[in-house]
Amino acid sequence: MKLYYAPHTCSLSPLIVLKELELPHQLIKVDNQTKRTADDRDFRAINPKGYVAALELDNGEVLTEGPAIIQYLADLKPSAGLAPPAGTWPRVRLQEMLNFITSEIHAGVAPLFNRDLPESAQTIFRERLFRRMAVLEETLRERANLLGAAYTVADAYLYTVLGWFSFFAIETSRWPAVAAYQQRIAQRPAVQAALQAHV
């Protein structure tokens, strides 16, 4: 498998999952500005959407969108327990959480990367994001991980997105349960290995 990635992007979460599962893979860096791969190909020929992550399988199929990729990877090694079995109620809960992270946290942070956004608009986006973070704070006061005791692919994804907060001087310490959770996830060997490779 080949994982196309760029530093400081959501492609970190599939890499964390690959490391957790110890699945063989090749990392190919993509320049987000030029859309060229490290081996000088047009990334848009691989993923017409033009953004990472993209997972190219050995049969040539390409899978995009982080939540889809990490569920696919988890299902390759179900014994690792990174995702509940497909078709079960816990799997639906995982999908619910992945959608919340995608639509409310990931998409909530994304506008802040736009340097042309007026301060007044940034304030609106921050306030909306902070309301969603309050939901996560409540969740993580009651659980070690997003879905309970077990670490899942949703935790790899949320950890990735929380890493962007520092770019905007947003301290996760304002949400103590979230901050403690972030520190716990950071200590996982697979997370450390992924962070070292995702440069």
Side-chain angles (χ1 to χ4, degrees):
M1 287 183 288
K2 297 175 182 175
L3 179 65
Y4 295 87
Y5 81 100
H8 311 299
T9 68
C10 58
S11 58
L12 176 61
S13 64
L15 183 55
I16 291 172
V17 174
L18 284 164
K19 299 289 187 186
E20 290 278 359
L21 298 174
E22 299 179 340
L23 292 171
H25 59 278
Q26 178 185 355
L27 281 178
I28 301 177
K29 191 173 184 177
V30 176
D31 184 317
N32 264 340
Q33 305 304 315
T34 65
K35 305 301 180 188
R36 303 298 296 182
T37 64
D39 52 2
D40 200 33
R41 289 178 292 148
D42 181 355
F43 179 61
R44 288 165 294 206
I46 298 155
N47 179 11
K49 298 170 186 172
Y51 56 77
V52 295
L55 183 71
E56 185 175 351
L57 308 183
D58 295 339
N59 66 4
E61 290 279 350
V62 176
L63 182 61
T64 64
E65 304 303 328
I69 294 170
I70 58 181
Q71 288 181 85
Y72 170 79
L73 292 173
D75 288 340
L76 293 179
K77 213 169 184 181
S79 60
L82 291 185
T88 65
W89 182 247
R91 183 57 168 259
V92 173
R93 286 297 193 193
L94 172 68
Q95 292 166 339
E96 175 186 39
M97 184 57 73
L98 289 171
N99 276 284
F100 178 75
I101 298 167
T102 295
S103 63
E104 303 299 334
I105 310 301
H106 184 157
V109 176
L112 302 179
F113 283 100
N114 183 345
R115 294 187 179 130
D116 296 328
L117 202 63
E119 187 61 38
S120 59
Q122 287 194 26
T123 299
I124 292 168
F125 282 115
R126 282 174 182 261
E127 288 173 354
R128 184 175 188 273
L129 174 63
F130 292 176
R131 289 194 299 272
R132 303 308 186 255
M133 288 300 298
V135 173
L136 289 177
E137 176 68 9
E138 287 298 315
T139 299
L140 292 169
R141 279 185 191 148
E142 301 172 0
R143 309 174 187 169
N145 296 295
L146 289 172
L147 297 183
Y151 172 87
T152 70
V153 294
D155 298 299
Y157 186 23
L158 180 59
Y159 174 82
T160 295
V161 177
L162 291 175
W164 303 338
F165 282 33
S166 61
F167 296 137
F168 311 108
I170 300 172
E171 299 291 337
T172 55
S173 58
R174 66 189 298 156
W175 305 283
V178 172
Y181 162 87
Q182 186 179 21
Q183 290 173 0
R184 285 195 307 276
I185 302 298
Q187 293 169 7
R188 296 181 70 86
V191 172
Q192 288 298 311
L195 288 169
Q196 290 174 12
H198 199 258
V199 293

